mmCIF file of all heavy atoms in Angstrom:
data_model
loop_
_atom_site.group_PDB
_atom_site.id
_atom_site.type_symbol
_atom_site.label_atom_id
_atom_site.label_comp_id
_atom_site.label_asym_id
_atom_site.label_seq_id
_atom_site.Cartn_x
_atom_site.Cartn_y
_atom_site.Cartn_z
ATOM 1 N N PHE B 174 -1.818 293.711 -0.169
ATOM 2 C CA PHE B 174 -2.870 292.921 0.493
ATOM 3 C C PHE B 174 -4.097 293.808 0.723
ATOM 4 O O PHE B 174 -5.223 293.418 0.449
ATOM 5 C CB PHE B 174 -2.391 292.379 1.851
ATOM 6 C CG PHE B 174 -1.128 291.551 1.774
ATOM 7 C CD1 PHE B 174 -0.211 291.569 2.819
ATOM 8 C CD2 PHE B 174 -0.867 290.751 0.669
ATOM 9 C CE1 PHE B 174 0.934 290.804 2.762
ATOM 10 C CE2 PHE B 174 0.288 289.978 0.615
ATOM 11 C CZ PHE B 174 1.189 290.014 1.667
ATOM 12 N N ARG B 175 -3.844 294.997 1.276
ATOM 13 C CA ARG B 175 -4.945 295.906 1.600
ATOM 14 C C ARG B 175 -5.740 296.275 0.355
ATOM 15 O O ARG B 175 -6.948 296.418 0.397
ATOM 16 C CB ARG B 175 -4.408 297.174 2.271
ATOM 17 C CG ARG B 175 -4.069 296.963 3.754
ATOM 18 C CD ARG B 175 -4.001 298.287 4.491
ATOM 19 N NE ARG B 175 -3.099 299.225 3.857
ATOM 20 C CZ ARG B 175 -1.775 299.248 4.047
ATOM 21 N NH1 ARG B 175 -1.223 298.357 4.862
ATOM 22 N NH2 ARG B 175 -1.024 300.141 3.433
ATOM 23 N N ASP B 176 -5.032 296.426 -0.759
ATOM 24 C CA ASP B 176 -5.718 296.789 -1.996
ATOM 25 C C ASP B 176 -6.359 295.581 -2.672
ATOM 26 O O ASP B 176 -6.896 295.697 -3.781
ATOM 27 C CB ASP B 176 -4.758 297.494 -2.957
ATOM 28 C CG ASP B 176 -4.376 298.882 -2.450
ATOM 29 O OD1 ASP B 176 -5.134 299.429 -1.625
ATOM 30 O OD2 ASP B 176 -3.327 299.406 -2.857
ATOM 31 N N GLY B 177 -6.264 294.427 -2.015
ATOM 32 C CA GLY B 177 -6.958 293.254 -2.528
ATOM 33 C C GLY B 177 -6.405 292.679 -3.828
ATOM 34 O O GLY B 177 -7.120 292.023 -4.570
ATOM 35 N N ILE B 178 -5.135 292.919 -4.081
ATOM 36 C CA ILE B 178 -4.538 292.383 -5.313
ATOM 37 C C ILE B 178 -4.148 290.920 -5.104
ATOM 38 O O ILE B 178 -4.421 290.056 -5.944
ATOM 39 C CB ILE B 178 -3.296 293.200 -5.722
ATOM 40 C CG1 ILE B 178 -3.600 294.691 -5.775
ATOM 41 C CG2 ILE B 178 -2.733 292.697 -7.061
ATOM 42 C CD1 ILE B 178 -4.623 295.088 -6.814
ATOM 43 N N VAL B 179 -3.508 290.637 -3.986
ATOM 44 C CA VAL B 179 -3.072 289.276 -3.663
ATOM 45 C C VAL B 179 -3.566 288.974 -2.249
ATOM 46 O O VAL B 179 -3.434 289.814 -1.360
ATOM 47 C CB VAL B 179 -1.522 289.179 -3.695
ATOM 48 C CG1 VAL B 179 -1.056 287.795 -3.256
ATOM 49 C CG2 VAL B 179 -0.987 289.502 -5.082
ATOM 50 N N PRO B 180 -4.179 287.794 -2.028
ATOM 51 C CA PRO B 180 -4.649 287.488 -0.674
ATOM 52 C C PRO B 180 -3.482 287.348 0.309
ATOM 53 O O PRO B 180 -2.497 286.678 0.015
ATOM 54 C CB PRO B 180 -5.388 286.153 -0.835
ATOM 55 C CG PRO B 180 -5.157 285.680 -2.221
ATOM 56 C CD PRO B 180 -4.507 286.756 -3.012
ATOM 57 N N ARG B 181 -3.627 287.993 1.452
ATOM 58 C CA ARG B 181 -2.574 288.000 2.456
ATOM 59 C C ARG B 181 -2.157 286.585 2.879
ATOM 60 O O ARG B 181 -0.970 286.270 2.950
ATOM 61 C CB ARG B 181 -3.067 288.786 3.679
ATOM 62 C CG ARG B 181 -2.075 288.944 4.817
ATOM 63 C CD ARG B 181 -2.743 289.590 6.032
ATOM 64 N NE ARG B 181 -3.249 290.932 5.734
ATOM 65 C CZ ARG B 181 -2.551 292.056 5.948
ATOM 66 N NH1 ARG B 181 -1.350 291.986 6.476
ATOM 67 N NH2 ARG B 181 -3.061 293.225 5.643
ATOM 68 N N GLU B 182 -3.185 285.697 3.108
ATOM 69 C CA GLU B 182 -2.805 284.378 3.639
ATOM 70 C C GLU B 182 -1.965 283.575 2.647
ATOM 71 O O GLU B 182 -1.097 282.806 3.033
ATOM 72 C CB GLU B 182 -3.936 283.506 4.114
ATOM 73 C CG GLU B 182 -5.408 283.679 3.844
ATOM 74 C CD GLU B 182 -5.949 284.736 2.946
ATOM 75 O OE1 GLU B 182 -5.813 285.939 3.266
ATOM 76 O OE2 GLU B 182 -6.552 284.370 1.928
ATOM 77 N N LEU B 183 -2.219 283.821 1.356
ATOM 78 C CA LEU B 183 -1.464 283.088 0.342
ATOM 79 C C LEU B 183 0.041 283.333 0.536
ATOM 80 O O LEU B 183 0.858 282.422 0.423
ATOM 81 C CB LEU B 183 -1.884 283.566 -1.055
ATOM 82 C CG LEU B 183 -1.195 282.851 -2.208
ATOM 83 C CD1 LEU B 183 -1.922 281.562 -2.529
ATOM 84 C CD2 LEU B 183 -1.147 283.739 -3.438
ATOM 85 N N ILE B 184 0.378 284.577 0.865
ATOM 86 C CA ILE B 184 1.787 284.928 1.030
ATOM 87 C C ILE B 184 2.304 284.477 2.387
ATOM 88 O O ILE B 184 3.362 283.863 2.495
ATOM 89 C CB ILE B 184 1.966 286.461 0.869
ATOM 90 C CG1 ILE B 184 1.491 286.901 -0.507
ATOM 91 C CG2 ILE B 184 3.407 286.863 1.114
ATOM 92 C CD1 ILE B 184 2.121 286.159 -1.657
ATOM 93 N N LEU B 185 1.510 284.769 3.431
ATOM 94 C CA LEU B 185 2.005 284.442 4.767
ATOM 95 C C LEU B 185 2.138 282.934 4.970
ATOM 96 O O LEU B 185 2.915 282.483 5.793
ATOM 97 C CB LEU B 185 1.089 285.052 5.835
ATOM 98 C CG LEU B 185 0.919 286.576 5.727
ATOM 99 C CD1 LEU B 185 0.182 287.136 6.938
ATOM 100 C CD2 LEU B 185 2.266 287.276 5.574
ATOM 101 N N GLU B 186 1.381 282.149 4.189
ATOM 102 C CA GLU B 186 1.475 280.697 4.318
ATOM 103 C C GLU B 186 2.540 280.105 3.403
ATOM 104 O O GLU B 186 2.830 278.923 3.470
ATOM 105 C CB GLU B 186 0.130 280.044 3.949
ATOM 106 C CG GLU B 186 -0.914 280.163 5.035
ATOM 107 C CD GLU B 186 -2.302 279.800 4.510
ATOM 108 O OE1 GLU B 186 -2.380 279.171 3.425
ATOM 109 O OE2 GLU B 186 -3.290 280.157 5.177
ATOM 110 N N SER B 187 3.091 280.931 2.533
ATOM 111 C CA SER B 187 4.078 280.400 1.587
ATOM 112 C C SER B 187 5.323 279.923 2.323
ATOM 113 O O SER B 187 5.780 280.562 3.270
ATOM 114 C CB SER B 187 4.474 281.489 0.586
ATOM 115 O OG SER B 187 5.684 281.146 -0.037
ATOM 116 N N SER B 188 5.836 278.793 1.892
ATOM 117 C CA SER B 188 7.028 278.275 2.573
ATOM 118 C C SER B 188 8.256 279.134 2.262
ATOM 119 O O SER B 188 9.298 278.969 2.865
ATOM 120 C CB SER B 188 7.284 276.821 2.171
ATOM 121 O OG SER B 188 7.459 276.746 0.773
ATOM 122 N N ASN B 189 8.128 280.061 1.323
ATOM 123 C CA ASN B 189 9.259 280.931 1.017
ATOM 124 C C ASN B 189 9.146 282.312 1.651
ATOM 125 O O ASN B 189 9.959 283.187 1.405
ATOM 126 C CB ASN B 189 9.406 281.092 -0.500
ATOM 127 C CG ASN B 189 9.790 279.780 -1.147
ATOM 128 O OD1 ASN B 189 10.684 279.096 -0.652
ATOM 129 N ND2 ASN B 189 9.116 279.415 -2.213
ATOM 130 N N TYR B 190 8.099 282.505 2.460
ATOM 131 C CA TYR B 190 7.936 283.771 3.165
ATOM 132 C C TYR B 190 8.817 283.757 4.410
ATOM 133 O O TYR B 190 8.841 282.773 5.150
ATOM 134 C CB TYR B 190 6.466 283.953 3.538
ATOM 135 C CG TYR B 190 6.197 285.113 4.452
ATOM 136 C CD1 TYR B 190 6.233 286.424 3.978
ATOM 137 C CD2 TYR B 190 5.912 284.901 5.808
ATOM 138 C CE1 TYR B 190 5.987 287.492 4.828
ATOM 139 C CE2 TYR B 190 5.658 285.964 6.662
ATOM 140 C CZ TYR B 190 5.705 287.262 6.168
ATOM 141 O OH TYR B 190 5.472 288.309 7.011
ATOM 142 N N ARG B 191 9.585 284.829 4.646
ATOM 143 C CA ARG B 191 10.491 284.876 5.798
ATOM 144 C C ARG B 191 10.114 286.056 6.687
ATOM 145 O O ARG B 191 10.450 287.200 6.382
ATOM 146 C CB ARG B 191 11.937 285.069 5.352
ATOM 147 C CG ARG B 191 12.429 284.067 4.340
ATOM 148 C CD ARG B 191 12.948 282.794 4.977
ATOM 149 N NE ARG B 191 13.213 281.822 3.930
ATOM 150 C CZ ARG B 191 12.381 280.824 3.616
ATOM 151 N NH1 ARG B 191 11.256 280.649 4.283
ATOM 152 N NH2 ARG B 191 12.692 279.991 2.644
ATOM 153 N N ALA B 192 9.434 285.763 7.795
ATOM 154 C CA ALA B 192 9.015 286.834 8.700
ATOM 155 C C ALA B 192 10.216 287.618 9.217
ATOM 156 O O ALA B 192 10.117 288.803 9.530
ATOM 157 C CB ALA B 192 8.230 286.240 9.867
ATOM 158 N N ALA B 193 11.374 286.953 9.265
ATOM 159 C CA ALA B 193 12.581 287.612 9.778
ATOM 160 C C ALA B 193 12.985 288.817 8.933
ATOM 161 O O ALA B 193 13.770 289.646 9.375
ATOM 162 C CB ALA B 193 13.736 286.608 9.841
ATOM 163 N N CYS B 194 12.437 288.903 7.724
ATOM 164 C CA CYS B 194 12.848 289.990 6.821
ATOM 165 C C CYS B 194 11.949 291.222 6.942
ATOM 166 O O CYS B 194 12.190 292.235 6.283
ATOM 167 C CB CYS B 194 12.832 289.515 5.373
ATOM 168 S SG CYS B 194 13.956 288.154 5.080
ATOM 169 N N LEU B 195 10.903 291.144 7.741
ATOM 170 C CA LEU B 195 9.950 292.253 7.849
ATOM 171 C C LEU B 195 10.654 293.546 8.241
ATOM 172 O O LEU B 195 11.487 293.564 9.151
ATOM 173 C CB LEU B 195 8.870 291.928 8.883
ATOM 174 C CG LEU B 195 7.740 291.007 8.401
ATOM 175 C CD1 LEU B 195 6.855 290.591 9.571
ATOM 176 C CD2 LEU B 195 6.922 291.692 7.305
ATOM 177 N N GLY B 196 10.312 294.605 7.526
ATOM 178 C CA GLY B 196 10.878 295.909 7.861
ATOM 179 C C GLY B 196 12.218 296.195 7.201
ATOM 180 O O GLY B 196 12.751 297.295 7.301
ATOM 181 N N MET B 197 12.767 295.214 6.526
ATOM 182 C CA MET B 197 14.074 295.411 5.882
ATOM 183 C C MET B 197 13.887 296.235 4.612
ATOM 184 O O MET B 197 12.951 296.029 3.846
ATOM 185 C CB MET B 197 14.669 294.039 5.555
ATOM 186 C CG MET B 197 16.017 294.115 4.878
ATOM 187 S SD MET B 197 17.251 294.910 5.939
ATOM 188 C CE MET B 197 18.642 294.984 4.827
ATOM 189 N N LYS B 198 14.816 297.180 4.393
ATOM 190 C CA LYS B 198 14.787 297.986 3.173
ATOM 191 C C LYS B 198 16.127 297.873 2.460
ATOM 192 O O LYS B 198 17.026 298.690 2.693
ATOM 193 C CB LYS B 198 14.506 299.451 3.511
ATOM 194 C CG LYS B 198 13.101 299.706 4.058
ATOM 195 C CD LYS B 198 12.924 301.200 4.244
ATOM 196 C CE LYS B 198 11.649 301.620 4.934
ATOM 197 N NZ LYS B 198 10.554 300.724 5.098
ATOM 198 N N PRO B 199 16.264 296.884 1.582
ATOM 199 C CA PRO B 199 17.544 296.751 0.885
ATOM 200 C C PRO B 199 17.756 297.901 -0.105
ATOM 201 O O PRO B 199 16.788 298.571 -0.494
ATOM 202 C CB PRO B 199 17.439 295.414 0.145
ATOM 203 C CG PRO B 199 16.083 294.891 0.390
ATOM 204 C CD PRO B 199 15.297 295.855 1.186
ATOM 205 N N LYS B 200 18.997 298.128 -0.455
ATOM 206 C CA LYS B 200 19.354 299.214 -1.376
ATOM 207 C C LYS B 200 18.518 299.140 -2.656
ATOM 208 O O LYS B 200 18.254 298.055 -3.157
ATOM 209 C CB LYS B 200 20.839 299.079 -1.737
ATOM 210 C CG LYS B 200 21.552 300.406 -1.903
ATOM 211 C CD LYS B 200 23.067 300.170 -1.962
ATOM 212 C CE LYS B 200 23.777 301.411 -2.473
ATOM 213 N NZ LYS B 200 25.236 301.204 -2.567
ATOM 214 N N PHE B 201 18.110 300.260 -3.177
ATOM 215 C CA PHE B 201 17.288 300.405 -4.393
ATOM 216 C C PHE B 201 15.914 299.748 -4.257
ATOM 217 O O PHE B 201 15.174 299.628 -5.229
ATOM 218 C CB PHE B 201 17.974 299.804 -5.631
ATOM 219 C CG PHE B 201 19.406 300.214 -5.813
ATOM 220 C CD1 PHE B 201 20.429 299.268 -5.784
ATOM 221 C CD2 PHE B 201 19.745 301.552 -6.005
ATOM 222 C CE1 PHE B 201 21.753 299.650 -5.940
ATOM 223 C CE2 PHE B 201 21.066 301.931 -6.161
ATOM 224 C CZ PHE B 201 22.070 300.976 -6.131
ATOM 225 N N GLY B 202 15.568 299.250 -3.062
ATOM 226 C CA GLY B 202 14.313 298.527 -2.902
ATOM 227 C C GLY B 202 14.306 297.207 -3.669
ATOM 228 O O GLY B 202 13.258 296.630 -3.935
ATOM 229 N N VAL B 203 15.480 296.722 -4.023
ATOM 230 C CA VAL B 203 15.563 295.513 -4.845
ATOM 231 C C VAL B 203 15.923 294.310 -3.968
ATOM 232 O O VAL B 203 16.871 294.363 -3.193
ATOM 233 C CB VAL B 203 16.618 295.691 -5.963
ATOM 234 C CG1 VAL B 203 16.821 294.384 -6.720
ATOM 235 C CG2 VAL B 203 16.182 296.791 -6.927
ATOM 236 N N TRP B 204 15.140 293.253 -4.112
ATOM 237 C CA TRP B 204 15.370 292.020 -3.346
ATOM 238 C C TRP B 204 15.920 290.914 -4.245
ATOM 239 O O TRP B 204 16.793 290.159 -3.853
ATOM 240 C CB TRP B 204 14.065 291.545 -2.697
ATOM 241 C CG TRP B 204 13.581 292.466 -1.619
ATOM 242 C CD1 TRP B 204 13.146 293.747 -1.779
ATOM 243 C CD2 TRP B 204 13.526 292.202 -0.216
ATOM 244 N NE1 TRP B 204 12.804 294.286 -0.569
ATOM 245 C CE2 TRP B 204 13.017 293.370 0.405
ATOM 246 C CE3 TRP B 204 13.837 291.088 0.571
ATOM 247 C CZ2 TRP B 204 12.826 293.436 1.794
ATOM 248 C CZ3 TRP B 204 13.635 291.158 1.950
ATOM 249 C CH2 TRP B 204 13.142 292.325 2.555
ATOM 250 N N ALA B 205 15.333 290.802 -5.420
ATOM 251 C CA ALA B 205 15.786 289.769 -6.360
ATOM 252 C C ALA B 205 16.699 290.449 -7.382
ATOM 253 O O ALA B 205 16.230 291.157 -8.256
ATOM 254 C CB ALA B 205 14.607 289.114 -7.047
ATOM 255 N N HIS B 206 17.988 290.273 -7.215
ATOM 256 C CA HIS B 206 18.945 290.943 -8.098
ATOM 257 C C HIS B 206 19.252 290.103 -9.327
ATOM 258 O O HIS B 206 19.638 290.614 -10.358
ATOM 259 C CB HIS B 206 20.239 291.219 -7.341
ATOM 260 C CG HIS B 206 20.003 291.857 -6.009
ATOM 261 N ND1 HIS B 206 19.846 291.126 -4.846
ATOM 262 C CD2 HIS B 206 19.843 293.155 -5.683
ATOM 263 C CE1 HIS B 206 19.633 291.965 -3.842
ATOM 264 N NE2 HIS B 206 19.617 293.188 -4.314
ATOM 265 N N ILE B 207 19.113 288.798 -9.160
ATOM 266 C CA ILE B 207 19.399 287.893 -10.267
ATOM 267 C C ILE B 207 18.185 286.998 -10.453
ATOM 268 O O ILE B 207 17.772 286.306 -9.519
ATOM 269 C CB ILE B 207 20.631 287.016 -9.978
ATOM 270 C CG1 ILE B 207 21.854 287.906 -9.781
ATOM 271 C CG2 ILE B 207 20.882 286.013 -11.096
ATOM 272 C CD1 ILE B 207 22.381 287.954 -8.393
ATOM 273 N N CYS B 208 17.595 287.054 -11.633
ATOM 274 C CA CYS B 208 16.388 286.278 -11.882
ATOM 275 C C CYS B 208 16.581 285.434 -13.139
ATOM 276 O O CYS B 208 17.120 285.909 -14.138
ATOM 277 C CB CYS B 208 15.206 287.233 -12.066
ATOM 278 S SG CYS B 208 13.729 286.443 -12.700
ATOM 279 N N GLY B 209 16.167 284.178 -13.080
ATOM 280 C CA GLY B 209 16.170 283.327 -14.267
ATOM 281 C C GLY B 209 14.744 282.935 -14.567
ATOM 282 O O GLY B 209 14.145 282.172 -13.814
ATOM 283 N N SER B 210 14.144 283.503 -15.626
ATOM 284 C CA SER B 210 12.757 283.171 -15.945
ATOM 285 C C SER B 210 12.737 282.133 -17.058
ATOM 286 O O SER B 210 13.510 282.226 -17.994
ATOM 287 C CB SER B 210 12.011 284.417 -16.404
ATOM 288 O OG SER B 210 11.892 285.318 -15.332
ATOM 289 N N ASP B 211 11.852 281.167 -16.943
ATOM 290 C CA ASP B 211 11.753 280.162 -18.001
ATOM 291 C C ASP B 211 10.694 280.576 -19.010
ATOM 292 O O ASP B 211 9.545 280.815 -18.644
ATOM 293 C CB ASP B 211 11.429 278.791 -17.408
ATOM 294 C CG ASP B 211 12.612 278.246 -16.633
ATOM 295 O OD1 ASP B 211 13.731 278.766 -16.834
ATOM 296 O OD2 ASP B 211 12.434 277.315 -15.831
ATOM 297 N N LEU B 212 11.108 280.673 -20.273
ATOM 298 C CA LEU B 212 10.193 281.046 -21.347
ATOM 299 C C LEU B 212 9.956 279.856 -22.253
ATOM 300 O O LEU B 212 10.854 279.058 -22.498
ATOM 301 C CB LEU B 212 10.793 282.169 -22.208
ATOM 302 C CG LEU B 212 11.178 283.479 -21.521
ATOM 303 C CD1 LEU B 212 11.680 284.470 -22.571
ATOM 304 C CD2 LEU B 212 9.997 284.058 -20.782
#
Side-chain angles (χ1 to χ4, degrees):
Chain B
F174 304 147
R175 281 199 306 277
D176 290 339
I178 308 296
V179 176
R181 182 187 299 267
E182 14 5 295
L183 182 84
I184 301 306
L185 303 189
E186 283 167 17
S187 162
S188 59
N189 294 314
Y190 171 74
R191 306 275 172 260
C194 299
L195 280 171
M197 180 62 185
K198 293 184 187 345
K200 216 168 166 181
F201 312 118
V203 174
W204 292 66
H206 311 91
I207 299 111
C208 168
S210 293
D211 290 343
L212 302 183

